[in-house]
Amino acid sequence: MTNDKTASQGASLPELPTTPTGSPTSDLQLTVEVDIEQDGDHRSYPSSPLSDLPPSPPLSDLPPSPPLSESPEKDRRQSTSSIAGINADISGTQRFYECLSDEEIEENYLGNIAPHHRRRHGVVNCPSPISSDGADSGQTSPEEHVEDEGPEFGLRRSKLAKPNTKRSRGENGVYPKRVRMSVEEPRPEEIQGGREGRRGSTESNDTGSSYSNSLAAHVRKDSIAIGLDKLNGFPFRKKSVLGFMNIPLPSKAKFQSKNGIPPEHRTKKELLLHYRVHIFVAVIFVITVSFVSAAWYFHDKQVEELATTQKIFFDPRGRVLTLRDQVTGDDLTGHLARDLPKWQLPLHCPISEKGDPNAKECKWKKNAILRIGYFKESLIQCYNISWEYRTKNHVPFDCFDLGSAFWYGSSNMTNDMLPITGKFSFDPNVYRLKGNGVLSNVLEYYWLSSQAEAIVVDSNDPLHISWNDTVPGKVCLISNYTEPFYSYTQSLLPHLNYTVCNGVDMVETHAFMRKYFLSPTGPPLPSGNVLTYPHYSVKARDSDREVSETEVMAMTSAIAEKDLNCSTLEIDGNWQKTLGDLDLDKEKFANITAMLDSISASKCRMSLEITPFFHFSSINFKEGVEKELFVMDAGGVVPGLTTLGEDFAGVLDVSNPAAKAWFTGKVNNLVSNYQTSAFRFSYGTKAWMPYKPHFETKDLTPNKIRRLYTEMVTSISQNVILEQTSQSQHVGELISVKTSITTSGDRTCLTNTLARALTLGLLGYPYILSDGFDLYDASKHATGGMPSMDLYIRWMQLSAFFPAVKYSIPPWSYGSVCVQVAKDMSHIHQTHVVPIINSLADDIKKGLPIMRPVWWMDPQNATAHKVQDEFLVGNRLLVAPVVCEGATTRGIFFPKGIWSDHNNGGKVLVGPIYIENYTVSQFQIPYFTRLQQQYP
């Protein structure tokens, strides 16, 4: 066993003594172990020869050793008992004990060896020296500092005879390196030979005793050292053998410790003081990691909890909005903010607003704010999306996937299609009213899909629509205030507000949308016989708009003579001397009393066509200019003029309360003077607003202006026919739908009527008026010829199942045959259609249509969604009109239910079923009644 020793700087190794014969002793081997690591170098180096070591002092300088007793065995036992009963194993194992006092242990080992561990480290406490008189003298001379322990060469030191173990710094201020040394015990046979030799002669005994004592004195911890200059300059390896010495030296880290004291020799207090910064940093690190881990854990928990209750699914990176059907899993996917740079992410866009899982707000720095609200009813889920842009450099631009579903709703296609097919684009050009399909009649932005998805946009927004056009396969909604109509305010920034919903049943989804968005309450039933009897027009078929009392009285006489029913007789055309006079022309209507009597005799009521335009030469134009009742031009100072053919006219500013009251008073004079109870309100055929108009009220849109005009006219009379309107589902007006005639190859058919009427019903306008034929040819700017009698009959058959019908061409124009058909169709209308309309009063108040698509009875049937030339009246009648000239057969699809055929003696058909060739004569229209016994 090797003992840890401390060597004093400058000490030297003694020369080995010789035997009396002059030969070196052979019963002792001294081993020095060096344990040094320099920069990870583990290579072996040759040992330094002994000649390089410092010379040892002569033996004469060593203190004399006490004489050995005659019995070596006795000496050994005494030596053993003097070290507190610690047995020395002489079986050849290195087991040596160093006898030190408490102070020496504290000083040499820095108190690092606990009392109960000292024995295993080879250190024991020595008893205090006893004087000759048996008392502890407390004084020991320096000469008595070593006591021979016998042949085992165990070492023992007295309490006060300790060497000077104080370490001094070297020349460079660094403490010298310490080494450990051990004395290897001779083998027992060698010990025995040595003892015998020493017993043989006194000289030998003296020499051996002196040799042992001198060796013990130099083999102590404080008396063995190696020249540090050689150690520092010699590249030792771990456990390098120096001649007969193997010296383990401390590692490199020990030599670099503070103050030259290895960390293992320091007290706990010193260690804590030395490593206080390290400990502080470690504690701070542990605390930081703990807090970060805890925060991350609770953040994940919060995100997980929000995800389980998440209702708004919007990815701010991809700007993808997803609304999923809870039952079928169908998604309505939107791609928002396509006009903003793709690289720009919102600075703030949480999963949901704090404390409200039904709201979400995302902000793009200096560009836009997106607000999404979630609400639900039954199985229908909806998002309300609102854009607020902060700059005019970008505009709201959102697109939604059309998918494979069938879509129904607004379009500006010239040839209306149901469902919407192909592509189209709509620009809210405020100067054009014709040629915009359904949007020519009503400006409503609403679409419904066969997968129960719905989109509705605020009609007050200047919406640009791109349907499967700008982005294929998507409908894009763009809000842009760059049109001339909005130039009166430069502070109006782009904004867009719309709602998307997704449900399971498209009929239920539509009813939900009608209830909450398209109208607060449904329209009331029109008064009188507006829906029961047909309406007639005096000059609708003629390109010459001049009308007189002669033509009016001829019309009333024919109606009475043919015994036809009549609701109103519309005096359209130029019944005023100058447009805007709002009075009958006294030259054209010289005998107004006789004319009114003739109208009353035909059981009709007189209806007049009025407009918001005032010709510059009319008697009311000057008054309107003086009172500033007209829309101003771009400068906002003088009235703006619009074109009416080759003339110019001012436009009534309906946003001005004074102008509205003034116009209402003029029209009420017509009611009181001429017993007029019905009106047709039209905007002309071309431009209806001056360039860059200025109104009394700011922030007006074309849709708002149309709504204000409608509310103004319906406040005068409940019997009103409207050509264009918007946001007017709450009033009971009739919406005019004209029938076009289209020739394709050798087939001439009636077009646009049915598809447009069904679309208007879905938009919330149930009272559709089949308003005769649209004979105006836009390419020739002239009125075309009259339709054939066959098409005219087919038109009368189709119109009989509309809520209302008006003859722009009187039936007697084709002879008595058509007069009889007109009577028959009027009978069918009164006996089948009117009762159904009356029974649908509750549905009408909910905003549901009277004329319904075939899929209304079976929304899940894909075939029903493709049917374009059939319709339902309520849920009772199925109508399959013939719309092409000369056709006598057609295919008919029957939705689910049991249907009774009125043309074949009540034959029963069970749907869903498709009959390919259904035979029908010229004077028949296929219609079927749904039996309520099976399907209430």
Side-chain angles (χ1 to χ4, degrees):
M1 177 177 181
T2 304
N3 298 324
D4 293 338
K5 305 295 180 180
T6 305
S8 301
Q9 184 176 4
S12 60
L13 291 174
E15 294 183 359
L16 294 177
T18 61
T19 60
T21 60
S23 61
T25 181
S26 61
D27 58 351
L28 177 65
Q29 292 183 2
L30 179 63
T31 302
V32 179
E33 294 183 359
V34 181
D35 187 7
I36 297 179
E37 295 181 5
Q38 293 191 3
D39 299 331
D41 189 2
H42 299 287
R43 294 175 292 175
S44 301
Y45 298 92
S47 303
S48 176
L50 293 177
S51 60
D52 294 339
L53 299 176
S56 60
L59 294 177
S60 59
D61 295 341
L62 297 175
S65 59
L68 296 174
S69 62
E70 296 179 358
S71 175
E73 198 66 29
K74 180 179 178 181
D75 294 339
R76 185 184 64 79
R77 288 194 297 268
Q78 291 177 354
S79 176
T80 303
S81 62
S82 66
I83 57 175
I86 301 175
N87 297 323
D89 186 1
I90 59 174
S91 61
T93 306
Q94 288 185 347
R95 189 171 184 83
F96 302 98
Y97 296 92
E98 185 177 15
C99 180
L100 300 175
S101 66
D102 290 335
E103 294 179 0
E104 290 175 319
I105 294 172
E106 181 68 21
E107 181 177 0
N108 293 346
Y109 294 94
L110 297 176
N112 291 331
I113 302 178
H116 55 282
H117 288 163
R118 291 173 182 173
R119 182 175 180 180
R120 70 175 63 174
H121 289 277
V123 178
V124 295
N125 286 86
C126 294
S128 300
I130 306 299
S131 61
S132 60
D133 58 356
D136 186 0
S137 63
Q139 297 289 334
T140 303
S141 62
E143 292 78 5
E144 298 176 352
H145 67 287
V146 173
E147 184 174 345
D148 189 15
E149 199 178 47
E152 292 79 17
F153 300 98
L155 303 179
R156 182 180 65 181
R157 277 185 267 173
S158 64
K159 180 178 182 180
L160 298 179
K162 60 185 178 181
N164 183 16
T165 59
K166 301 279 186 183
R167 300 180 63 193
S168 59
R169 299 179 183 266
E171 295 178 358
N172 56 354
V174 179
Y175 286 98
K177 303 176 182 180
R178 297 176 184 268
V179 299
R180 295 186 301 167
M181 299 190 66
S182 63
V183 179
E184 185 175 348
E185 182 180 31
R187 290 186 294 275
E189 58 271 18
E190 297 176 353
I191 296 175
Q192 186 66 24
R195 289 175 181 174
E196 292 178 355
R198 285 193 294 272
R199 288 194 186 104
S201 65
T202 306
E203 184 179 358
S204 299
N205 292 341
D206 294 340
T207 304
S209 175
S210 175
Y211 174 78
S212 300
N213 292 337
S214 63
L215 183 61
H218 286 277
V219 175
R220 294 183 320 214
K221 178 173 106 174
D222 57 323
S223 59
I224 298 177
I226 296 178
L228 295 178
D229 55 342
K230 293 184 176 297
L231 286 176
N232 290 332
F234 192 83
F236 289 106
R237 66 177 178 86
K238 189 174 182 180
K239 290 190 177 180
S240 176
V241 180
L242 300 179
F244 64 92
M245 294 178 295
N246 188 12
I247 307 174
L249 294 180
S251 62
K252 182 179 180 181
K254 295 182 180 180
F255 296 120
Q256 296 176 349
S257 60
K258 186 177 180 181
N259 298 328
I261 304 176
E264 62 269 19
H265 290 172
R266 296 180 183 177
T267 63
K268 295 181 178 178
K269 183 176 181 181
E270 290 176 329
L271 291 173
L272 291 175
L273 185 62
H274 177 73
Y275 292 108
R276 62 185 182 275
V277 177
H278 302 74
I279 295 174
F280 176 76
V281 173
V283 171
I284 293 298
F285 176 77
V286 172
I287 293 175
T288 303
V289 171
S290 301
F291 273 105
V292 171
S293 301
W296 189 264
Y297 172 79
F298 287 109
H299 172 73
D300 286 347
K301 284 292 184 182
Q302 184 180 14
V303 171
E304 182 180 353
E305 182 180 354
L306 289 174
T308 56
T309 60
Q310 184 177 0
K311 298 178 180 179
I312 300 175
F313 296 90
F314 174 67
D315 177 16
R317 290 185 176 272
R319 302 174 189 171
V320 177
L321 180 69
T322 304
L323 182 59
R324 173 162 296 182
D325 174 20
Q326 293 179 335
V327 178
T328 62
D330 294 330
D331 291 341
L332 177 60
T333 304
H335 307 269
L336 311 186
R338 297 178 64 92
D339 192 50
L340 292 178
K342 293 183 178 180
W343 54 264
Q344 191 174 81
L345 299 178
L347 299 178
H348 170 80
C349 194
I351 295 178
S352 62
E353 290 301 308
K354 187 176 181 182
D356 188 3
N358 298 325
K360 184 183 186 75
E361 182 176 272
C362 299
K363 296 180 180 179
W364 281 262
K365 184 179 180 180
K366 298 181 180 180
N367 279 332
I369 300 177
L370 170 65
R371 297 180 179 89
I372 305 176
Y374 172 86
F375 56 96
K376 175 184 177 182
E377 180 176 294
S378 184
L379 297 177
I380 303 172
Q381 302 181 92
C382 297
Y383 291 153
N384 179 259
I385 302 167
S386 176
W387 281 104
E388 178 184 334
Y389 272 64
R390 299 180 175 181
T391 176
K392 293 183 179 181
N393 297 329
H394 303 285
V395 296
F397 192 148
D398 297 349
C399 298
F400 288 85
D401 293 339
L402 296 174
S404 59
F406 299 98
W407 286 87
Y408 308 86
S410 301
S411 72
N412 72 336
M413 294 182 176
T414 304
N415 295 324
D416 297 323
M417 303 295 290
L418 193 75
I420 300 174
T421 57
K423 62 182 180 180
F424 71 89
S425 295
F426 173 73
D427 187 354
N429 192 328
V430 298
Y431 306 111
R432 187 182 64 198
L433 293 174
K434 298 294 183 178
N436 283 326
V438 175
L439 294 170
S440 297
N441 292 100
V442 295
L443 272 178
E444 304 290 346
Y445 309 128
Y446 171 67
W447 297 274
L448 177 69
S449 81
S450 58
Q451 295 180 354
E453 302 162 343
I455 303 174
V456 59
V457 186
D458 187 356
S459 298
N460 292 323
D461 293 334
L463 185 66
H464 295 243
I465 306 170
S466 174
W467 189 279
N468 196 27
D469 189 11
T470 304
V471 183
K474 293 178 175 58
V475 52
C476 295
L477 311 176
I478 309 166
S479 180
N480 196 346
Y481 286 84
T482 60
E483 293 293 334
F485 187 89
Y486 308 101
S487 62
Y488 62 90
T489 172
Q490 298 297 327
S491 61
L492 194 61
L493 294 174
H495 63 269
L496 180 63
N497 184 27
Y498 62 94
T499 301
V500 295
C501 294
N502 197 354
V504 178
D505 186 278
M506 64 182 302
V507 176
E508 294 179 358
T509 301
H510 174 71
F512 175 80
M513 301 296 286
R514 295 287 330 133
K515 177 180 178 182
Y516 285 96
F517 302 104
L518 301 183
S519 64
T521 58
L525 286 172
S527 60
N529 54 10
V530 174
L531 302 180
T532 305
Y533 301 140
H535 304 258
Y536 295 88
S537 174
V538 177
K539 297 291 292 186
R541 64 174 181 174
D542 297 332
S543 57
D544 182 10
R545 300 292 294 171
E546 298 297 329
V547 62
S548 64
E549 65 179 20
T550 304
E551 293 175 301
V552 173
M553 295 177 67
M555 179 75 69
T556 57
S557 299
I559 293 173
E561 181 181 351
K562 307 299 181 183
D563 194 20
L564 297 173
N565 297 320
C566 178
S567 176
T568 61
L569 176 63
E570 179 182 317
I571 303 178
D572 43 9
N574 299 328
W575 55 272
Q576 307 173 72
K577 183 176 181 179
T578 304
L579 182 64
D581 288 344
L582 293 179
D583 194 6
L584 290 173
D585 185 357
K586 298 300 190 292
E587 297 179 359
K588 297 178 181 179
F589 301 94
N591 194 352
I592 296 178
T593 303
M595 183 186 70
L596 295 177
D597 292 339
S598 173
I599 294 174
S600 178
S602 63
K603 300 179 181 179
C604 296
R605 291 175 297 170
M606 186 175 69
S607 174
L608 297 175
E609 180 182 12
I610 58 177
T611 68
F613 306 116
F614 293 83
H615 193 273
F616 68 90
S617 62
S618 67
I619 59 176
N620 292 319
F621 181 82
K622 182 178 179 181
E623 182 182 358
V625 171
E626 293 175 353
K627 295 182 179 180
E628 297 183 351
L629 304 178
F630 300 143
V631 177
M632 298 296 177
D633 66 356
V637 178
V638 298
L641 301 180
T642 186
T643 59
L644 289 177
E646 296 179 356
D647 295 327
F648 297 93
V651 184
L652 180 73
D653 185 359
V654 71
S655 67
N656 186 348
K660 183 178 178 180
W662 177 75
F663 183 84
T664 301
K666 298 289 184 179
V667 176
N668 282 328
N669 289 335
L670 294 175
V671 174
S672 59
N673 295 335
Y674 307 116
Q675 301 176 5
T676 305
S677 59
F679 296 93
R680 180 188 185 93
F681 192 79
S682 65
Y683 297 92
T685 58
K686 295 183 67 174
W688 67 292
M689 281 290 163
Y691 182 73
K692 292 185 177 181
H694 279 64
F695 301 89
E696 177 71 19
T697 303
K698 302 299 181 181
D699 300 337
L700 284 181
T701 64
N703 302 47
K704 285 184 179 180
I705 296 174
R706 287 185 174 94
R707 177 173 58 84
L708 292 175
Y709 278 134
T710 299
E711 292 175 348
M712 179 185 66
V713 176
T714 54
S715 66
I716 302 172
S717 173
Q718 293 298 318
N719 189 355
V720 178
I721 299 174
L722 297 175
E723 291 185 356
Q724 294 90 21
T725 187
S726 179
Q727 301 175 332
S728 304
Q729 294 92 344
H730 59 287
V731 297
E733 74 279 1
L734 297 177
I735 303 298
S736 170
V737 174
K738 293 184 178 293
T739 301
S740 300
I741 300 175
T742 304
T743 300
S744 177
D746 58 349
R747 299 185 63 186
T748 303
C749 302
L750 307 175
T751 58
N752 294 336
T753 307
L754 185 55
R756 186 171 299 188
L758 295 176
T759 301
L760 289 173
L762 293 176
L763 296 177
Y765 298 92
Y767 304 121
I768 310 300
L769 173 69
S770 180
D771 198 7
F773 292 90
D774 185 8
L775 302 178
Y776 180 79
D777 190 344
S779 61
K780 298 179 180 179
H781 302 286
T783 302
M786 294 177 57
S788 65
M789 186 176 72
D790 185 57
L791 283 180
Y792 186 80
I793 292 174
R794 295 304 186 188
W795 173 85
M796 288 193 292
Q797 294 171 350
L798 170 64
S799 301
F801 293 91
F802 274 57
V805 58
K806 191 186 82 169
Y807 289 98
S808 58
I809 302 174
W812 55 84
S813 299
Y814 293 91
S816 60
V817 174
C818 288
V819 172
Q820 186 59 45
V821 173
K823 292 181 178 180
D824 294 339
M825 294 302 103
S826 179
H827 176 73
I828 291 176
H829 180 81
Q830 296 175 39
T831 57
H832 290 87
V833 177
V834 173
I836 293 177
I837 294 175
N838 292 331
S839 67
L840 293 176
D842 292 338
D843 286 353
I844 293 173
K845 290 181 179 179
K846 295 177 182 178
L848 301 182
I850 296 174
M851 298 177 63
R852 303 172 179 180
V854 175
W855 51 257
W856 195 274
M857 299 295 300
D858 193 0
Q860 306 301 328
N861 193 307
T863 304
H865 289 284
K866 301 177 182 178
V867 177
Q868 302 184 18
D869 55 356
E870 300 179 29
F871 65 96
L872 298 168
V873 180
N875 291 339
R876 296 282 302 278
L877 286 179
L878 172 65
V879 183
V882 177
V883 294
C884 290
E885 185 177 13
T888 56
T889 61
R890 61 155 298 162
I892 301 176
F893 173 79
F894 294 86
K896 68 178 182 180
I898 300 178
W899 304 92
S900 175
D901 188 352
H902 286 271
N903 293 326
N904 293 301
K907 181 181 178 180
V908 176
L909 299 100
V910 180
I913 188 175
Y914 180 77
I915 299 177
E916 185 173 358
N917 293 311
Y918 182 91
T919 303
V920 56
S921 66
Q922 183 182 22
F923 300 102
Q924 288 180 325
I925 178 172
Y927 70 103
F928 311 86
T929 299
R930 181 171 175 259
L931 302 180
Q932 297 183 356
Q933 289 80 357
Q934 295 292 331
Y935 296 92

